[in-house]
Amino acid sequence: MPAMEETAKRVTKRRVRTRARLLDAAFTVFAAKGFGRVSIEEVCEAAGFSRGAFYSNFATLDELFFALYRERADLIAAQVADALALDGPDLDVTASVDRVTEVLLLDVDWLLVKTDFLVHAARDPDVAQALLDHRARLRGAIAERLSRARGHTELPAVLGDVDGAARAVVAAYDGVTTQLLLDRDVEHARAWLKQLLTALLTDGSGTPPRATPPRATPA
């Protein structure tokens, strides 16, 4: 391998590590102090880097904040998708809810950062649109999985269609995590989320209603 190519690869790996350390440090500082009270210098100090290292990876603190949010939010979306994918072509609602609630990231520090980001997005239309796009992708992944269950399970009619069910799932997560911010009881939050999702996606007994065959149309 040419020396210049080898050097370029080392630089790329070092930059990836630097970026990761900046994101980890920013997460710790944002969770402790809040986004609006943190400076670039504080992030650099926590990461053990200079301002030059910061600016070689991010143009602004806002850009770093959004990168941090996207990294953690994508992790949650992947956790949900992976848990739902284990059923194959069928959908065992109760088992899927169990898996999702067991693996789902319920971390108070992350929720503090997420809440800061929501408040930030509420005051910045561009950031708000990026957040809306991400939430739409998450709902889409859930709706796609629920739609493949048709013929095997039937969602409660009150939810409307699979998109309505996906919105209800995301809303349930939002509600549970808001309570978690206040009482800091992760175990209770996980159990509550399981109960709420089971009630939403089944008849309330934990057993999804069976899909009924269409009625014959009179000739």
Side-chain angles (χ1 to χ4, degrees):
M1 181 182 296
M4 290 183 62
E5 185 176 346
E6 179 66 31
T7 299
K9 283 193 172 184
R10 285 200 300 269
V11 170
T12 300
K13 289 180 179 178
R14 184 167 63 248
R15 184 169 182 177
V16 169
R17 288 195 298 268
T18 299
R19 180 183 175 89
R21 281 178 58 183
L22 284 167
L23 287 171
D24 286 345
F27 178 79
T28 300
V29 177
F30 288 150
K33 300 187 65 174
F35 173 68
R37 299 177 179 177
V38 173
S39 66
I40 290 175
E41 288 78 9
E42 287 174 298
V43 173
C44 292
E45 181 179 354
F49 291 130
S50 65
R51 287 175 64 94
F54 178 93
Y55 285 116
S56 68
N57 287 275
F58 303 102
T60 64
L61 203 58
D62 278 24
E63 183 181 326
L64 179 148
F65 192 39
F66 186 73
L68 175 62
Y69 177 86
R70 185 170 58 243
E71 177 185 77
R72 299 292 172 124
D74 285 347
L75 170 62
I76 290 174
Q79 288 174 333
V80 172
D82 289 347
L84 291 176
L86 293 177
D87 278 324
D90 298 330
L91 180 68
D92 182 334
V93 172
T94 304
S96 292
V97 167
D98 285 348
R99 284 196 299 272
V100 168
T101 52
E102 283 302 316
V103 304
L104 196 59
L105 179 66
L106 291 176
D107 176 73
V108 173
D109 284 346
W110 156 243
L111 295 175
L112 287 168
V113 173
K114 174 189 171 184
T115 302
D116 270 352
F117 191 83
L118 288 170
V119 173
H120 184 49
R123 295 188 173 97
D124 187 321
D126 292 335
V127 178
Q129 189 57 55
L131 180 56
L132 287 170
D133 290 345
H134 180 274
R135 289 171 69 84
R137 289 196 300 275
L138 176 59
R139 288 198 308 271
I142 297 171
E144 191 275 335
R145 184 66 191 89
L146 293 175
S147 69
R148 286 194 282 129
R150 285 180 171 174
H152 304 283
T153 59
E154 182 180 358
L155 295 171
V158 70
L159 295 177
D161 55 14
V162 292
D163 183 62
R167 287 178 180 275
V169 169
V170 175
Y173 173 76
D174 286 342
V176 169
T177 52
T178 297
Q179 181 66 28
L180 177 57
L181 270 177
L182 301 176
D183 62 28
R184 306 284 179 122
D185 189 340
V186 175
E187 184 177 349
H188 179 260
R190 208 174 289 282
W192 185 26
L193 182 61
K194 176 181 175 180
Q195 293 168 359
L196 188 54
L197 291 181
T198 300
L200 277 171
L201 299 176
T202 71
D203 61 2
S205 67
T207 303
R210 299 300 302 171
T212 54
R215 294 180 179 178
T217 303

PDB file of all heavy atoms in Angstrom, residues 43 57 67 118 193 200-201 206 214-215:
ATOM      1  N   VAL A  43     -16.993  21.603  26.027  1.00  0.00           N
ATOM      2  CA  VAL A  43     -17.014  20.316  25.325  1.00  0.00           C
ATOM      3  C   VAL A  43     -15.589  19.863  25.030  1.00  0.00           C
ATOM      4  O   VAL A  43     -15.233  18.698  25.249  1.00  0.00           O
ATOM      5  CB  VAL A  43     -17.833  20.408  24.025  1.00  0.00           C
ATOM      6  CG1 VAL A  43     -17.704  19.111  23.219  1.00  0.00           C
ATOM      7  CG2 VAL A  43     -19.299  20.695  24.327  1.00  0.00           C
ATOM      8  N   ASN A  57     -14.229  18.983  12.983  1.00  0.00           N
ATOM      9  CA  ASN A  57     -15.334  18.024  12.907  1.00  0.00           C
ATOM     10  C   ASN A  57     -16.703  18.690  12.853  1.00  0.00           C
ATOM     11  O   ASN A  57     -17.623  18.139  12.230  1.00  0.00           O
ATOM     12  CB  ASN A  57     -15.289  17.094  14.127  1.00  0.00           C
ATOM     13  CG  ASN A  57     -14.170  16.090  14.066  1.00  0.00           C
ATOM     14  OD1 ASN A  57     -14.310  15.027  13.470  1.00  0.00           O
ATOM     15  ND2 ASN A  57     -13.032  16.431  14.674  1.00  0.00           N
ATOM     16  N   ALA A  67     -25.898  16.233  15.559  1.00  0.00           N
ATOM     17  CA  ALA A  67     -25.229  14.955  15.286  1.00  0.00           C
ATOM     18  C   ALA A  67     -25.409  14.002  16.463  1.00  0.00           C
ATOM     19  O   ALA A  67     -25.627  12.798  16.276  1.00  0.00           O
ATOM     20  CB  ALA A  67     -23.745  15.188  15.008  1.00  0.00           C
ATOM     21  N   LEU A 118     -35.713  19.060  21.724  1.00  0.00           N
ATOM     22  CA  LEU A 118     -37.093  19.380  21.361  1.00  0.00           C
ATOM     23  C   LEU A 118     -37.385  20.873  21.566  1.00  0.00           C
ATOM     24  O   LEU A 118     -38.016  21.514  20.723  1.00  0.00           O
ATOM     25  CB  LEU A 118     -38.058  18.540  22.208  1.00  0.00           C
ATOM     26  CG  LEU A 118     -38.133  17.052  21.865  1.00  0.00           C
ATOM     27  CD1 LEU A 118     -38.945  16.322  22.936  1.00  0.00           C
ATOM     28  CD2 LEU A 118     -38.756  16.843  20.495  1.00  0.00           C
ATOM     29  N   LEU A 193     -44.548   1.096  30.062  1.00  0.00           N
ATOM     30  CA  LEU A 193     -44.553   1.145  28.608  1.00  0.00           C
ATOM     31  C   LEU A 193     -45.060  -0.177  28.031  1.00  0.00           C
ATOM     32  O   LEU A 193     -45.834  -0.197  27.067  1.00  0.00           O
ATOM     33  CB  LEU A 193     -43.141   1.438  28.088  1.00  0.00           C
ATOM     34  CG  LEU A 193     -42.998   1.569  26.565  1.00  0.00           C
ATOM     35  CD1 LEU A 193     -43.850   2.714  26.030  1.00  0.00           C
ATOM     36  CD2 LEU A 193     -41.531   1.797  26.192  1.00  0.00           C
ATOM     37  N   LEU A 200     -52.713  -0.783  23.843  1.00  0.00           N
ATOM     38  CA  LEU A 200     -52.949  -0.062  22.596  1.00  0.00           C
ATOM     39  C   LEU A 200     -53.115  -0.998  21.410  1.00  0.00           C
ATOM     40  O   LEU A 200     -53.978  -0.797  20.556  1.00  0.00           O
ATOM     41  CB  LEU A 200     -51.789   0.893  22.308  1.00  0.00           C
ATOM     42  CG  LEU A 200     -51.792   2.257  22.974  1.00  0.00           C
ATOM     43  CD1 LEU A 200     -50.462   2.957  22.737  1.00  0.00           C
ATOM     44  CD2 LEU A 200     -52.941   3.108  22.436  1.00  0.00           C
ATOM     45  N   LEU A 201     -52.275  -2.022  21.353  1.00  0.00           N
ATOM     46  CA  LEU A 201     -52.186  -2.846  20.146  1.00  0.00           C
ATOM     47  C   LEU A 201     -52.990  -4.137  20.224  1.00  0.00           C
ATOM     48  O   LEU A 201     -53.008  -4.911  19.266  1.00  0.00           O
ATOM     49  CB  LEU A 201     -50.718  -3.178  19.864  1.00  0.00           C
ATOM     50  CG  LEU A 201     -49.821  -1.959  19.602  1.00  0.00           C
ATOM     51  CD1 LEU A 201     -48.376  -2.398  19.420  1.00  0.00           C
ATOM     52  CD2 LEU A 201     -50.301  -1.166  18.391  1.00  0.00           C
ATOM     53  N   GLY A 206     -53.932  -8.618  26.282  1.00  0.00           N
ATOM     54  CA  GLY A 206     -52.625  -9.164  25.920  1.00  0.00           C
ATOM     55  C   GLY A 206     -52.715 -10.120  24.763  1.00  0.00           C
ATOM     56  O   GLY A 206     -51.710 -10.568  24.234  1.00  0.00           O
ATOM     57  N   PRO A 214     -63.477 -11.662   5.504  1.00  0.00           N
ATOM     58  CA  PRO A 214     -64.481 -10.734   4.990  1.00  0.00           C
ATOM     59  C   PRO A 214     -65.827 -11.440   4.786  1.00  0.00           C
ATOM     60  O   PRO A 214     -65.879 -12.629   4.471  1.00  0.00           O
ATOM     61  CB  PRO A 214     -63.881 -10.289   3.646  1.00  0.00           C
ATOM     62  CG  PRO A 214     -62.951 -11.383   3.259  1.00  0.00           C
ATOM     63  CD  PRO A 214     -62.406 -11.931   4.565  1.00  0.00           C
ATOM     64  N   ARG A 215     -66.912 -10.698   5.023  1.00  0.00           N
ATOM     65  CA  ARG A 215     -68.238 -11.264   4.829  1.00  0.00           C
ATOM     66  C   ARG A 215     -68.520 -11.438   3.338  1.00  0.00           C
ATOM     67  O   ARG A 215     -68.119 -10.615   2.523  1.00  0.00           O
ATOM     68  CB  ARG A 215     -69.301 -10.363   5.453  1.00  0.00           C
ATOM     69  CG  ARG A 215     -69.204 -10.270   6.978  1.00  0.00           C
ATOM     70  CD  ARG A 215     -70.279  -9.367   7.520  1.00  0.00           C
ATOM     71  NE  ARG A 215     -70.231  -9.284   8.971  1.00  0.00           N
ATOM     72  CZ  ARG A 215     -71.042  -8.533   9.686  1.00  0.00           C
ATOM     73  NH1 ARG A 215     -71.973  -7.800   9.088  1.00  0.00           N
ATOM     74  NH2 ARG A 215     -70.948  -8.521  11.012  1.00  0.00           N
TER      75      ARG A 215
END
